[in-house]
Structure formats: structure tokens, C-alpha cells
Amino acid sequence: MRIVYLDNNATTRTAPEVVEAMLPFFSDAYGNPSSMHSFGGRVARHVREARERVAALINAEPCEILFTSCGTESDNAAIMGTLQSYPDKKHFIMTRVEHPAVLNVGHYLRARGYRVTELGVDGEGRLDLEELRDALDEDTALVSIMAANNETGVLFPLDAIAALVKERGIPFHSDAVQAVGKIPLDMKRTPVDMLSLSGHKLHAPKGIGALYIRKGTRFTPFVIGGHQESGKRGGTENVPYIVALGKAAERAMNHMEEENGRVKALRDRLERELLTRIPNAIRNGAEKERLPNTTSISFEYVEGESILLMMDAVGICASSGSACTSGSLEPSHVLRAMGVPFTAAHGSIRFSLSIYNSDADVDHVIEHLPPVIQRIRDISPFWKDYQAGKPLSAMLAGEQGQHHH
Ligand code: PLP
């Protein structure tokens, strides 16, 4: 069966040239880059080159790149490392739509006595900069705000946010895991102090990430150990994966134009066709200030999980905006923060493309999804109620009885 992979914000295919670049470091070139002998030294050269490539992708200096095990570690290291460096300050600011790699660190800190501000967003997923300005105070140790939302693709205005936070001399971290490789980022222009990225979102393998730390930023190691990574992170370097991330970074620079041209055009066509061919379909998030590869669409009065299962049967891979892992069908925290009504939030699907997608992939979805939605609606009591003009409040009462504890 034809597989149409539209779940690239979850993870991407490791590019064949990236796999090829990392292979020698599993076999002949197995030395430890910290060794004094030249056998290890040869490997160190490749780590250095990878660091230069990752730095180049975001226009940073190589010495500002710290390799980590993943985006989650980068986020944890940035937040915990900064708070350790400012032990007298007990206020942390984030948004309500962060990835759990930041959000749950915030909740962890709150449980340990920190004051934690969670900034809200409007119906289009946008931040209110005045709310941010008002939240900053003398006790603020760190502000962490993502560059691009993983569910909706909505971009936050990083330049303006960074300027606002730095005006007050407060450290600023951004989780840019979904942005790096998809849109241009320039650390010489944007005054962020720390920025997280993850390999598997840009065609490197899972389990490698990096944290950009601007020169002069106070940072206390999160992973305590040897002198690797200039003493900022212990642990023998994961050479094959570091080389892979370097190769992926180089590749991303070369593909940025295609991502923002051809891939964006595919996304736009997919979105336009689905919104016009399927009744009661709504885009979640701002139309313009958005990643070029992502669209989140709500199909009202249907469950996202049902859509995913039926799409799976016709070879389409995507994600839903509700997390059913806990057994409840709570809509995602992102859509809830945006105030998306539950009738829409429950039926939200995220499609995320990459340069490996083609026109034929989009055609496949446009052909198969409308009848899938229709079939689910045909057996949905909510859809029947809606069509019969039954008031929303009656449906809401039933739904809340089921899902809210
Ligand atoms: N931050 C964002 C915005 C993400 O989308 C993800 C991955 O889903 C992460 C952090 C976590 O990255 P990793 O899977 O490398 O730990």
C-alpha cells in the first residue's frame, strides 16, 4: 500500500546522505574524540566540523553549540542550568502552549516553590506581548518561549520577544525544535540567549539535539560529568549522531528554499482543498505567521482518533490534536489554550509535510479524506444533533458529563 507520510513534526525520515555520513563512525572511525592519540584526534576533527555546520544553520559561533541527547534535554538543560545560575531568582515565565519538554519542567518548578507564569494565546494561537511585558519583574530568572508551535505551526515573533525580555536584562530561552531547518534563524540578529534544536525533526536520527548558548551567558551544567563539551555537558560524545546532525544541518541550509517554496505550496493546496471539499472544517492557528510545512485542521463533530484510524487504513500518517494516552479524550492543551470549542478540538488533525512529499501525496489525501469524514459523520450522534439543529448546550452537557472529572 502507498504510504503517505504527513507526520513530519512528530519525526522525519533520516536522509540517506545523513545515514551514509554517520556510518564510518560505527566501524573504522570508532575513536574517542577526547583521546590524546591521533586515532581519536581524527574523529575530533569530524565533531568540530559538525559543530561548525550546526552553528552555520542558525548563524552562530561553533563554540556556542552544545551537543545534547535530544530536544527535551536541550530544553531541560537550558531551564535548569539557568535557574541554577540565578539561585536568588524564583520566577519563571513560559507559555501555555509549550511542548511538554518545557511545560512539564514549568509544572515541576511550580511544585518546588517557583512562581511560574503561563502566558496565554488568542484564538489564532498568538501571544500578547503586553502580557509578557507585564509579567517580567525583578525576580524573573528566565523566560522560555517556543519559536514555532509543534501542533499548529504558529510562529511567535522571536525578535520582538527577545528584545522585550533582554531590555530588562533577563535571560531568554527559546524551544526552536520545530523551527530550525524549516525557517531561517539568525543568532547574530535575534538576541536570544539559548535556543534548543533536535536532530530528528530535520532528517537526522532520533536521540541527538543541540543547545545554542550565546557567548557570555551564565550556564550551570545539567548533565554533570567529564570535561566534554567545554565542561558544559559530561558524557563521551555520540560521534556518529553528532556527525549526522552536522550533515542534516548542512542539508537543511540547502533545502530551506524548497521548504518555503515547493513544500509550502503543497501544504497550502492540501489545506485549501480540504477546507473547501469538507463541510465544517476549520484551520487552527494563524494563516500567515506559520511554519511552511504544517496545517492543523478541525473537522467538527468527529473524533480525531477515528479519523486517524480510518486514514491509517488508506495509508495516510498524521497526528490528532487530542491525547488519548491517558484513556480520556482530552483535547490538546494547545487547542484548549486557543479556546477552540470542544466540538472542533476533538476532531483536529495535524498534517506536517517535508521535502520528501509530492503532489501525488496531496492528491491521495484530497481523494481519500473527504469520504472518510463523511463516513464517520454518518454514524456520529453529534453530527446528527448538529444537522437537526439541536442546541450546542445540550450536546455540551452530555460531553462534559463524559470527559470532565
Ligand atoms: N520541543 C518541541 C516543540 C517539539 O516538537 C519536540 C518534539 O516533539 C520536542 C521539544 C522534543 O524533542 P525530542 O523528541 O528530541 O526530545
Side-chain angles (χ1 to χ4, degrees), residues 96 330-340 345 404:
R96 282 165 64 189
E330 274 291 308
S332 87
H333 67 286
V334 175
L335 299 181
R336 267 185 291 156
M338 289 164 64
V340 176
H404 290 259

Side-chain angles (χ1 to χ4, degrees), residues 9 70-72 75 99 101 146 150 175 177-178 198 200-201:
N9 288 9
C70 60
T72 302
D75 287 341
H99 185 274
M146 70 198 325
N150 43 299
D175 175 344
V177 164
Q178 291 293 347
S198 172
H200 73 106
K201 311 292 184 179

Side-chain angles (χ1 to χ4, degrees), residues 47-67 185-190 192-195 197 210-217 229-230 232:
V47 171
R48 205 157 48 238
E49 191 177 88
R51 205 181 300 280
E52 287 164 6
R53 287 171 167 176
V54 173
L57 178 60
I58 56 171
N59 199 21
E61 301 292 329
C63 65
E64 296 174 314
I65 301 298
L66 175 73
F67 289 116
L185 288 168
D186 183 346
M187 296 303 99
K188 297 274 191 296
R189 208 193 68 198
T190 309
V192 358
D193 298 307
M194 285 165 290
L195 184 126
L197 64 100
L211 178 65
Y212 160 81
I213 308 175
R214 185 178 297 278
K215 256 183 288 182
T217 302
E229 299 294 294
S230 313
K232 291 196 178 81

